[in-house]
Amino acid sequence: MTTEAKLPTKRYFEDVQVGDEIPRLVKAPVTHLQLVRYAGASGDFNPLHTDPKIGEMLGIGGIIAHGMLIMGFLGQLLSDYVGPTALRKFGVRFKSMTRLDDVITCSGTITEKYEADGEARIAGKIQAVDQNGDVKASGTFVAALPKRGGE
Amino acid sequence: MFDQSKIGQSFPSFTYQVERCKIHELNLAIGDENPIYHSKEAAQAAGYPDVPASPTTPTTFQFWGNPDFVKHLVAIGVNVMRIIHGEEEYEYLAPIYAGDVLTGVTTLVDGKSRQSKDGSSMDILTLETRYTNQNGQEVLKARQVLIVR
């Protein structure tokens, strides 16, 4: 694995305001190979996500993506925004099925800034939608951010 | 109709060693190229002791760490072929890094049946898994809502 990809820049509590939008993340179209990879990586081998015959049999018209892959996209959005160890809470509700070739866009808004348990925290809402604007997953998060001069 | 007497029941605990390669593989599938998820050197250069768990890495703890999960669901009367994943929520209590050894205990914290307008019924189950690391520190609470149609 090459490590040429850039590290996200560090974000401070003071940099974030209520109402701020998290920079959008537009993912590449979902592919069958990606779902096979995700099955192996996550350990969720439900054939609904990898075997087109099962999807046909169940009458859902082909394979559907793992909900957790979509949550993974939202996790990438948040990890890019606050860093990997800043999240305190992250929850989503799965709203509709994602199919092959769907292009998922993740977005979010900051809804709150507060201090709790000795930490400066932000809270926000997030969602993942497809190319038609259909919501696939939506939810909320809480993250702790460092304060300037506080380290 | 879901058997309410199963609420509060915990499944046997399981142990899972957090693997650097698994975090790498999961983020490859997601398409998250942040180098700290793919290389120990990059993670250490960024100030972490090892590759950190990415936000949804806990899904690997459940599926790879607890291969009997489905069996346990069957044992409490769940038709696993009809499960839809409704919600997932993580509460991160302390950082988790590659090399950590986690012990997880999953408890059925809620279960109810609901009647749809068309007369069919579905069960809504809430499971919570608490993870403790090798130092006895609670690091993660994972809450999951499964809908059984």
Side-chain angles (χ1 to χ4, degrees):
Chain A
M1 182 73 196
T2 57
T3 54
E4 285 155 25
K6 262 178 59 187
L7 272 174
T9 47
K10 187 162 190 167
R11 198 173 304 275
Y12 289 90
F13 186 64
E14 291 82 356
D15 301 336
V16 178
Q17 304 306 328
V18 171
D20 280 2
E21 294 203 354
I22 299 171
R24 273 164 194 268
L25 174 68
V26 182
K27 298 298 294 179
V30 172
T31 68
H32 193 168
L33 178 63
Q34 182 175 34
L35 300 187
V36 172
R37 286 186 107 140
Y38 191 84
S42 69
D44 181 354
F45 291 105
N46 186 331
L48 200 62
H49 305 303
T50 51
D51 185 349
K53 274 181 281 182
I54 299 283
E56 297 298 339
M57 228 166 64
L58 291 173
I60 53 168
I63 57 178
I64 56 167
H66 302 77
M68 287 305 298
L69 173 65
I70 311 306
M71 188 176 183
F73 294 165
L74 287 166
Q76 180 181 354
L77 175 91
L78 293 175
S79 163
D80 283 351
Y81 191 68
V82 298
T85 54
L87 278 178
R88 295 294 177 265
K89 219 168 185 180
F90 173 29
V92 305
R93 182 174 285 201
F94 299 107
K95 302 278 196 181
S96 62
M97 295 184 282
T98 300
R99 296 176 184 284
L100 297 186
D101 301 323
D102 278 352
V103 176
I104 302 298
T105 299
C106 299
S107 63
T109 312
I110 307 308
T111 55
E112 240 185 305
K113 279 182 80 172
Y114 59 95
E115 311 228 353
D117 302 332
E119 290 185 327
R121 291 184 178 174
I122 59 168
K125 51 184 186 182
I126 41 170
Q127 67 170 9
V129 303
D130 70 8
Q131 62 282 0
N132 303 315
D134 286 341
V135 180
K136 301 302 183 185
S138 66
T140 57
F141 72 94
V142 172
L145 293 181
K147 285 180 137 179
R148 281 193 195 281
E151 288 170 84
Chain B
M1 198 68 172
F2 184 73
D3 179 1
Q4 301 266 321
S5 73
K6 305 292 185 194
I7 296 171
Q9 188 171 319
S10 292
F11 303 149
S13 71
F14 59 94
T15 302
Y16 180 75
Q17 170 144 21
V18 182
E19 299 281 355
R20 203 178 294 143
C21 181
K22 220 63 205 157
I23 298 172
H24 164 61
E25 195 186 349
L26 188 79
N27 284 286
L28 267 186
I30 290 169
D32 188 337
E33 295 178 348
N34 190 335
I36 59 168
Y37 297 137
H38 300 283
S39 136
K40 182 182 176 184
E41 290 69 30
Q44 289 183 337
Y48 303 102
D50 205 316
V51 170
S54 57
T56 57
T57 293
T59 196
T60 65
F61 308 163
Q62 179 179 22
F63 285 108
W64 287 109
N66 193 10
D68 290 336
F69 180 63
V70 169
K71 232 188 278 175
H72 297 320
L73 289 178
V74 171
I76 59 166
V78 174
N79 180 354
V80 292
M81 288 308 288
R82 305 201 64 83
I83 289 179
I84 293 169
H85 195 177
E87 294 172 37
E88 184 83 16
E89 182 182 76
Y90 299 123
E91 202 175 322
Y92 308 93
L93 305 172
I96 298 169
Y97 296 102
D100 283 352
V101 179
L102 307 182
T103 301
V105 177
T106 302
T107 304
L108 178 70
V109 293
D110 196 16
K112 53 188 172 227
S113 295
R114 193 176 284 173
Q115 205 83 17
S116 308
K117 280 180 192 145
D118 64 5
S120 64
S121 90
M122 60 174 129
D123 295 334
I124 300 169
L125 310 181
T126 306
L127 296 142
E128 187 180 85
T129 306
R130 289 166 174 258
Y131 293 93
T132 308
N133 70 11
Q134 64 280 10
N135 304 316
Q137 185 181 16
E138 197 174 19
V139 291
L140 179 79
K141 268 194 257 180
R143 204 178 130 274
Q144 186 167 59
V145 176
L146 302 179
I147 299 162
V148 190
R149 286 181 189 276

